[in-house]
Amino acid sequence: MRAVLVVNPKATTTSERSRDVLVRALRSEVDLSVRYTRRRGHAADIAREAADQEVDVVVTLGGDGTVNEVVNGLMAARVAAAPDGTTPGPGRPDDADPSGPALADRLPALATVPGGSTNVFARALGLPREWPDSTSMILEGLRLGRHRTIGLGRADDRYFTFCAGFGFDAAVIHRVEQARRKGRVSTPGLYLRSMLQQYVVGTERRHPAITVERPGEEAEADLATVIVQNTAPWTYVGDREVNPNPAASFDLGLDLLALRRLRVAGTTRTVTQFLSQQPDPHGRQVLRLHDLAEFTLVSARPQAFQLDGDYLGEREKVRFTSVPAALRVIC
């Protein structure tokens, strides 16, 4: 079995020594090559090359951003593998060639070793939080041939594994990224301070500008912010799950939660519901939609936009689609 290990050398929670241990462990099970990322987008290029070379498994050592890049590289290869050069979408079967195996089976499987600060994707798959324990579980999965096939989300031309945000939460992520570039460490406290700063001074709360458009459905307008999930939870605060859309699943379409207003009392109540042991966000200001195949977010003014915790600038329109049975993962 051939594998490529994609290493983000700036990963938050790993060291050179731990990387060496991981490499030795993987080489006990697979024919391994190691590639280090050097720039933004490099992990996607490495994953695309691995697929072109018919590698069996791509392993990531990094955070959710590294995973997202690798997934986008693999999916670019998937598009190229489809007989008509397009990727499956709503209402279209996953296997573009009914006479052959599913497209997901033609690509390398993905295994992810958590090396970032939060590692939502790995933890949502049920992998342990600490990289040594996750490595042991992945090695067992490789020995036993254990994997599952998951769906992904797509926002315009980019794929995501667990979440997207349009509005407030993306603006908070932007603030966190700015702080990290100045040397701050990513902690729950940093996110909380960034959230409060964005709420107090950075958000236009009086005039909600976002509309959700769905095929065959009446549009939902005047929304203040939108969270999209491809699985649950949305994120973690330490060990605690944060669940705006607790029914979201890798095996279903996309889930959406929008707030109609960002008033102090209502927003505080809704965030408290996110953190509940049995989350069920509800109320007059909450819009929740489950298992969506496709929808479009449109805004009267530019909104901050993020995928898998990676800030991607501002947009006025984003089309979302669910891509079922898109990728095999070792877990």
Side-chain angles (χ1 to χ4, degrees):
M1 181 182 293
R2 296 166 60 218
V4 172
L5 172 63
V6 182
V7 178
N8 177 359
K10 298 181 180 179
T12 305
T13 60
T14 59
S15 64
E16 184 174 354
R17 180 180 179 183
S18 61
R19 289 194 294 267
D20 290 342
V21 171
L22 172 62
V23 168
R24 288 196 297 270
L26 289 172
R27 282 187 170 148
S28 70
E29 297 293 335
V30 298
D31 178 7
L32 183 72
S33 62
V34 182
R35 300 285 302 275
Y36 288 84
T37 60
R38 298 187 180 91
R39 63 184 184 279
R40 190 181 183 98
H42 192 198
D45 295 338
I46 295 171
R48 177 73 182 264
E49 291 170 10
D52 291 342
Q53 295 166 5
E54 299 184 349
V55 166
D56 299 294
V57 182
V58 175
V59 185
T60 65
L61 175 60
D64 290 310
T66 303
V67 173
N68 181 275
E69 285 195 14
V70 165
V71 166
N72 274 275
L74 293 175
M75 293 302 289
R78 172 190 168 100
V79 171
D84 58 1
T86 59
T87 190
R92 181 177 172 198
D94 174 65
D95 190 356
D97 178 7
S99 65
L103 286 173
D105 293 335
R106 301 177 197 173
L107 294 178
L110 172 68
T112 181
V113 178
S117 58
T118 309
N119 306 300
V120 178
F121 178 68
R123 294 164 73 180
L125 288 173
L127 293 169
R129 185 176 180 181
E130 300 300 326
W131 74 264
D133 297 329
S134 292
T135 300
S136 295
M137 189 169 175
I138 289 168
L139 291 172
E140 181 183 75
L142 291 170
R143 285 193 294 269
L144 299 176
R146 184 179 65 215
H147 70 271
R148 64 180 289 194
T149 301
I150 65 169
L152 298 172
R154 187 173 66 206
D156 290 338
D157 59 352
R158 181 158 173 171
Y159 295 86
F160 61 98
T161 62
F162 63 92
C163 82
F166 195 64
F168 180 75
D169 88 295
V172 172
I173 286 173
H174 187 206
R175 284 184 178 270
V176 171
E177 289 186 357
Q178 289 176 320
R180 293 185 67 182
R181 283 195 291 269
K182 295 177 182 178
R184 302 290 296 278
V185 177
S186 180
T187 63
L190 176 59
Y191 276 90
L192 178 59
R193 289 190 296 273
S194 299
M195 182 176 68
L196 293 175
Q197 290 169 357
Q198 181 63 30
Y199 187 85
V200 173
V201 301
T203 300
E204 170 55 73
R205 298 194 298 274
R206 292 173 297 177
H207 304 290
I210 302 171
T211 298
V212 179
E213 299 176 349
R214 292 178 289 161
E217 301 286 344
E218 185 176 350
E220 295 278 359
D222 299 327
L223 304 174
T225 191
V226 178
I227 291 169
V228 180
Q229 288 175 239
N230 184 50
T231 190
W234 172 49
T235 190
Y236 293 84
V237 176
D239 291 327
R240 181 180 288 274
E241 296 182 355
V242 184
N243 264 315
N245 292 293
S249 169
F250 287 126
D251 301 320
L252 300 173
L254 300 175
D255 278 28
L256 176 152
L257 180 140
L259 299 183
R260 302 184 189 278
R261 295 290 185 273
L262 289 173
R263 296 178 178 135
V264 174
T267 302
T268 301
R269 180 173 60 251
T270 303
V271 170
T272 300
Q273 293 170 346
F274 292 175
L275 293 165
S276 170
Q277 294 290 345
Q278 296 181 319
D280 180 26
H282 61 277
R284 288 181 298 175
Q285 74 159 2
V286 176
L287 170 68
R288 283 173 61 188
L289 301 172
H290 175 60
D291 193 16
L292 302 178
E294 64 176 300
F295 60 93
T296 301
L297 300 181
V298 182
S299 178
R301 59 178 179 270
Q303 299 287 336
F305 173 55
Q306 65 91 3
L307 292 180
D308 286 346
D310 188 12
Y311 177 70
L312 297 178
E314 294 186 334
R315 304 280 181 91
E316 293 181 0
K317 182 178 181 179
V318 183
R319 179 173 180 262
F320 288 86
T321 54
S322 172
V323 185
L327 188 68
R328 291 179 301 129
V329 293
I330 307 296
C331 56

